[in-house]
Amino acid sequence: RGAWTHLGTGTNNVPPINIFLPIYTGISAPFAAQVGQDVVESQKGVYIQEQMKWGGWHLTLGGRYDNSDIELLNTMTKTTTITDSDAYTGRAGLLYLFESGIAPYASFATSFEPVSGTDANGVAFDPSEGEQIEVGIKYEPKDFNAIFTASAFQLTQQNVLTLDPTDPLFQAQTGEIELRGIELEAKVALSEGLALPGGWTFMDSEITKNNDGNLGNEFMNVPSNTGSMWLDYTFQGGPLEGLGLGAGVRYVGDRFGDNANVYRIPSYTLLDAAIRYDLGKLSSALEGTTVALTGSNLADKTYVAKAETVSSANYGPGRSINLNLSYSW
């Protein structure tokens, strides 16, 4: 994958103004550019995974190698910095399935994510690194078609950007955040062709290392509660066999829009729906082909999806309708 971004900032002094009787005299000189960057990023990765089983034991091992190239052009000095970063990350999970359908499990995973930009000395940032620990229990009843999961997790992210204590125009990689949470999930077949999947997640975030004076605060854009539920029905016979209908809701709770925890972003609930048809029911030549019409945020709700900085945030997508044609073999 690849990406290109541009960053530029500048400052200037402006004459004082009376907000009750403003007289706009203008700016006497052009803005003085202080930071200017053009960034081109590319990343490549290779992944391998092995799943093993001995009796009731299930072991999953995975490894990944990533290589990231970041080419940064300082438009102020006309110099180019090229950063070549690579990392090995992996995951391991162990589960034991009892005859009753109860299956406790534990997993551990590491992550790697390139970070573009430079510090005050023009040195490119190191990749951000993370760790996730999860323990939980799954239950698959014998009497009906369903699976229930309850889990607790902790995520730690290091090399997070924070204010440079020696130069407030730049950032340093001395920040760290932690997320802890509980996740509940259920997938239930209410009858033949009728399914009801849903889930709820509670998260608690904390800034554990920081130079901005926000130590101990909640991390921005992390809601305490999120949830979703979807009802899906596929006709099993008759002239409508192969037709599927689905509808559901997504909920995202309120959360802070800044790491100083000054203002909150309101919660929102969105309505989604879908209709699909298995074209293989019309002709054997079309076996494996499905056409689907999906809609998200059908009520066209206006909501704030994410805060970018203390003074800016992004609205979420409005109503979206998509037609998809897929083929599997």
Side-chain angles (χ1 to χ4, degrees), residues 8-94:
T9 63
T11 61
N12 200 352
N13 296 321
V14 297
I17 189 171
N18 184 342
I19 62 173
F20 301 104
L21 186 63
I23 300 177
Y24 301 100
T25 58
I27 300 174
S28 58
F31 277 94
Q34 293 174 307
V35 178
Q37 297 176 348
D38 284 335
V39 183
V40 179
E41 303 177 48
S42 64
Q43 184 175 351
K44 303 177 288 293
V46 179
Y47 182 81
I48 186 171
Q49 179 171 291
E50 172 67 12
Q51 293 179 301
M52 294 169 277
K53 177 182 176 182
W54 302 278
W57 291 100
H58 296 253
L59 176 65
T60 300
L61 298 174
R64 182 182 177 96
Y65 170 76
D66 283 279
N67 177 263
S68 170
D69 293 312
I70 300 178
E71 182 177 332
L72 186 147
L73 171 63
N74 187 323
T75 57
M76 302 294 297
T77 62
K78 306 302 181 183
T79 58
T80 299
T81 302
I82 298 177
T83 304
D84 186 1
S85 303
D86 56 8
Y88 291 94
T89 55
R91 61 186 295 262
L94 183 63

Side-chain angles (χ1 to χ4, degrees), residues 10 14 72 126 144 168 170 217 229 233-234 246 248 281 285 289 325:
V14 297
L72 186 147
D126 294 327
F144 60 98
F170 290 89
N217 288 358
M229 182 171 291
Y233 181 71
T234 301
K281 301 299 181 181
T289 305
L325 182 66

Side-chain angles (χ1 to χ4, degrees), residues 37 44 50 110 117 138 145 153 155 204 215 220 232 245 271-272 310 315:
Q37 297 176 348
K44 303 177 288 293
E50 172 67 12
T110 58
K138 299 176 183 287
N145 187 9
F153 58 87
L155 297 89
D204 176 58
L215 191 65
M220 62 188 296
D232 189 275
L245 304 173
L271 174 65
D272 305 323
V310 176
Y315 284 113

Side-chain angles (χ1 to χ4, degrees), residues 243-282:
L243 178 66
L245 304 173
V249 293
R250 290 176 288 142
Y251 170 80
V252 176
D254 62 343
R255 61 274 187 214
F256 282 109
D258 64 329
N259 288 336
N261 292 178
V262 174
Y263 72 94
R264 300 189 73 93
I265 301 174
S267 62
Y268 60 87
T269 302
L270 304 179
L271 174 65
D272 305 323
I275 180 171
R276 65 185 182 280
Y277 185 70
D278 181 1
L279 297 178
K281 301 299 181 181
L282 298 177

